[in-house]
Amino acid sequence: AQSVTQLDSQVPVFEEAPVELRCNYSSSVSVYLFWYVQYPNQGLQLLLKYLSGSTLVKGINGFEAEFNKSQTSFHLRKPSVHISDTAEYFCAVSDPMNRDDKIIFGKGTRLHILP
Amino acid sequence: EAGVAQSPRYKIIEKRQSVAFWCNPISGHATLYWYQQILGQGPKLLIQFQNNGVVDDSQLPKDRFSAERLKGVDSTLKIQPAKLEDSAVYLCASSPGLAERFRETQYFGPGTRLLVL
């Protein structure tokens, strides 16, 4: 079964600084990978997803992620964060070749933007 | 376009009581999901509907949880009887249902926060 690990539970970063949120998944022949953002007291919103093709995926709000098959990683990056990026970020994975597949979410990384 | 609606937003009950949550997906979305999000964890899929049929309920604790989606639109999730460990946020999501499983973007509601005392 697939699994996903978000290595940092919390990440503090100064406003306008770059940020990287790390995500690793268990190896599989094929994967779909997702990053969701959850603002306080709200549901999840899709930032970006990798289904196939280019390994660099661009999403909303200036975020991007790179699929690295050899390192089984899908790290999320933003070159310059804003106070409005304060939220919890979830990485998720599914295996499209597995009929019994579930979508598996990581435990989340809380991004704190410091003024 | 209206988003996914859920009610109630908050619920406090005592253990062994029953509780029900309601979800209205985005209009026209064939696929509906219920997730359980325990504090400090990511969402866990409980059940997935395609129209009014169940696609996957393998992670639904069927001895106490039940869900239905009559007429393929609204859905209710029920817990009977509730346990302390059921305290969580229950999220509903929907997707158009036109593509293979999990390929589509899921649109989430704001969730129902349940506290079992």
Side-chain angles (χ1 to χ4, degrees), chain B:
Chain B
E1 179 182 78
V4 176
Q6 290 188 248
S7 67
R9 291 295 311 276
Y10 306 92
K11 191 73 177 179
I12 301 174
I13 62 172
E14 295 190 349
K15 60 183 179 183
R16 291 187 288 273
Q17 285 188 322
S18 301
V19 65
F21 313 126
W22 173 81
C23 172
N24 187 342
I26 291 173
S27 177
H29 279 194
T31 306
L32 185 147
Y33 313 79
W34 282 103
Y35 290 86
Q36 179 192 57
Q37 186 178 14
I38 293 173
L39 187 65
Q41 298 183 22
K44 172 187 169 184
L45 180 65
L46 293 177
I47 188 167
Q48 178 187 350
F49 292 94
Q50 181 78 8
N51 296 310
N52 59 352
V54 175
V55 173
D56 182 358
D57 64 357
S58 59
Q59 300 192 118
L60 187 73
K62 299 180 187 62
D63 57 333
R64 296 183 301 105
F65 285 65
S66 64
E68 60 182 10
R69 192 183 182 198
L70 299 176
K71 300 180 182 179
V73 182
D74 293 7
S75 178
T76 56
L77 177 69
K78 296 179 182 177
I79 308 175
Q80 182 179 6
K83 293 185 175 181
L84 297 177
E85 58 261 36
D86 298 332
S87 294
V89 177
Y90 291 86
L91 295 165
C92 179
S94 70
S95 66
L98 302 174
E100 68 182 79
R101 197 170 181 219
F102 300 132
R103 184 181 181 93
E104 295 182 324
T105 297
Q106 296 183 47
Y107 297 85
F108 283 79
T112 296
R113 189 175 298 272
L114 174 67
L115 178 61
V116 182
L117 302 175

